[in-house]
Amino acid sequence: MQKNFIFVCDSVEIKDSNKLSAYGIFDSVGAYGFPATQKEMAIVVNIEVEENQRNKSHTERFEIIYDGKYIIGRDTEFNPTSPRHQFLHKVENVLFPEEGKYVVRISIDGKTIGESYFLVKQVEK
């Protein structure tokens, strides 16, 4: 399996005819001080599933990592039946200990298939 895309946004939902609606896609977060908390955010992952991997049980894991340290993550069991599969991870109260680059890592069955990142920056009030 391979990733088609990963992005981070404020919120996400599935609407009419299974259309994805993402709001506030971002590549950086501003914080007035640290540690900082992001009350809500969503991680969207879309993967390509080879035919021989369909109709089988798999585990997808997303993690947010900062400076090699685990911040948050979640495992999701799934059984893909089509060439593409999409994950919508809604997370709350994500704690950012300091300014820097935060990596979003996606793994399937224990194998990393892709990464993305966003920046957390100090801003003035």
Side-chain angles (χ1 to χ4, degrees):
M1 289 183 222
Q2 65 182 20
K3 78 163 174 81
N4 290 319
F5 59 81
I6 302 168
F7 65 83
V8 184
C9 60
D10 291 330
S11 65
V12 65
E13 64 183 338
I14 299 293
K15 287 192 169 192
D16 305 329
S17 302
N18 289 323
K19 292 181 183 175
L20 174 71
S21 292
Y23 306 96
I25 296 172
F26 60 85
D27 65 359
S28 64
V29 173
Y32 295 123
F34 293 94
T37 301
Q38 180 75 14
K39 290 191 183 281
E40 295 180 339
M41 62 190 284
I43 298 166
V44 178
V45 179
N46 184 286
I47 63 171
E48 201 71 29
V49 182
E50 294 86 10
E51 190 170 351
N52 66 348
Q53 295 298 314
R54 295 179 205 151
N55 300 305
K56 296 178 182 176
S57 181
H58 300 280
T59 301
E60 181 259 4
R61 178 169 183 77
F62 89 87
E63 295 177 307
I64 297 176
I65 299 164
Y66 172 72
D67 196 26
K69 298 177 191 104
Y70 172 87
I71 300 296
I72 192 170
R74 181 179 305 144
D75 291 335
T76 302
E77 300 295 321
F78 71 108
N79 189 347
T81 58
S82 61
R84 289 193 167 175
H85 193 86
Q86 195 154 259
F87 302 92
L88 311 177
H89 298 290
K90 296 178 182 182
V91 292
E92 297 177 339
N93 300 315
V94 179
L95 183 67
F96 302 125
E98 57 189 297
E99 187 173 53
K101 180 178 175 179
Y102 288 76
V103 175
V104 178
R105 180 174 297 148
I106 306 301
S107 302
I108 303 292
D109 298 331
K111 179 184 174 194
T112 299
I113 64 164
E115 292 183 347
S116 185
Y117 72 90
F118 58 93
L119 302 174
V120 178
K121 303 186 271 187
Q122 176 82 36
V123 295
E124 299 299 320
K125 286 186 181 185

